[in-house]
Amino acid sequence: MKNKILIYGRLFFELAVFALAVLAFYQKYPFKIFDIQFVAALQNGIATGASISFVLIGLILVLSFCFGRVYCSVLCPLGIFQEILTILFKPFYKKFKIKGNKHYFVSYILACVLFGIFLGGTSAVIRLVDPYSVFGNAISGAGFGIGFVATLSILVLFKKRFFCVNICPVGCILGIISKRALLKINIEKDKCQKCGLCERICPTGSINSKEQKIDNETCVRCLKCLPVCKHGAVVLSKVSKEPAFDLSRRNLIKSCALLLVLRATIKAGMDLSKYVSSKTKSVILPAGAKNVKDFANRCLNCNLCVKNCPMKIIKKATKETPFVHIDYGTNFCKYKCHKCSEVCPSGAIEKISLNVKQKTKIATAVVDEQKCIGCGVCAYECPRQIIIKNEGEPPIIRFDECIGCGACANVCPVQAISMTPAENQIILS
């Protein structure tokens, strides 16, 4: 009974988190679920120096040390999505008896490469597999995200949570900590009948029923193995005597090799960040993004700002611009809105007040006097009232006061006003 309460409690909690995660992309964001996503919080801390981000990272690590990879089970939206798929695919698993996953050493190398490049200064690589970034990319309807999730669904069908065990960089880091967790899933050998029921139901392949062992490094604490054991041999408990660290020569060599990989990829990340910066074209960015060179390396392409923008001017990444950006083609930036700054969890768009947003120069409006018909509509619509219109003359825009919101260009009947991106965003006095 106790085990069932734990399972249903976890299931209820994870479904609530998943619902909030989905609603966040439809302008319903009462709780900042994505501020506690591992890579987003780490990026925010590095980009802005926000102490709260490092506190959140610390809490995730402490949670993993105490209870194991609970984060992967109840806080990661992509992990929850895979959990939902395993429930839907249950009839298939019963028919074909899908075997568990083997944990490969290459997962450590992959994590070192991804986090090394990330720590080197660019998120351009890790956002391709980061569970939060991929989830956001998919739920927002971006082609890459949809393709990734479709492939992941096939992987879950045949290999269950292989992604969590061998590909996810966040899972790898938390798994190393969870290996020494205070509370673990254990098999009481005197009760175990080696029937294999727990092993067959495990989505991560963490259980070896023949050897009566459970790999708590890959276990995501779904707790499905607890009630399925008819003899009560599978328990969640504290190990009274922890095994000593394995200091064998083989493991020392592996550890040194991983450190060398991490060091090399940090250097590669520094070079890649410079390359990404040099190849980015000038585009208009949301207030708080500072400049295109930094933003190109910070944006996780989760598209949370895209879906929450009420004016729909923030666009998804394209082949020409591989990160989110502003396009004034059909609308303008609402003067009394800074939703993108409020929702961005990664620090790519810094959290600024509405007052600061209203003084942040993201572009400059330029009038083509050859096209202008002198109607004066732009002067009337300018929220900062910095366009001067004299009778019979083209309007004069006070460039030092223009923030580039695009309201004037949006109302111009002859498209005589264009917007020039600010190379570096500045806050006007």
Side-chain angles (χ1 to χ4, degrees), residues 113-131:
V113 170
L114 293 171
F115 275 109
I117 294 174
F118 176 70
L119 295 174
T122 181
S123 63
V125 177
I126 200 170
R127 67 190 179 204
L128 300 176
V129 290
D130 167 48

Side-chain angles (χ1 to χ4, degrees), residues 275-388:
Y275 176 80
V276 170
S277 296
S278 67
K279 292 297 181 181
T280 53
K281 68 175 185 177
S282 184
V283 292
I284 302 174
L285 299 173
K290 291 192 173 181
N291 62 72
V292 71
K293 292 182 179 180
D294 288 342
F295 188 78
N297 285 306
R298 291 177 179 176
C299 180
L300 293 177
N301 278 345
C302 68
N303 294 333
L304 192 58
C305 60
V306 175
K307 297 295 289 185
N308 277 272
C309 177
M311 308 302 282
K312 303 304 177 187
I313 59 168
I314 304 180
K315 304 299 181 181
K316 301 169 188 173
T318 63
K319 187 176 181 180
E320 295 74 24
T321 308
F323 47 87
V324 301
H325 55 282
I326 287 179
D327 184 349
Y328 286 141
T330 57
N331 221 325
F332 61 96
C333 182
K334 192 175 180 181
Y335 190 62
K336 294 183 178 181
C337 171
H338 65 135
K339 192 71 176 178
C340 54
S341 172
E342 290 181 321
V343 302
C344 179
S346 69
I349 305 173
E350 291 191 16
K351 298 187 185 301
I352 57 177
S353 67
L354 179 59
N355 181 54
V356 172
K357 182 263 181 180
Q358 292 175 341
K359 296 187 291 185
T360 301
K361 189 179 188 68
I362 63 175
T364 303
V366 179
V367 179
D368 185 342
E369 295 184 1
Q370 300 299 318
K371 291 183 178 180
C372 180
I373 59 175
C375 64
V377 177
C378 57
Y380 178 78
E381 290 293 331
C382 177
R384 288 176 60 83
Q385 298 299 299
I386 52 91
I387 300 179
I388 302 170

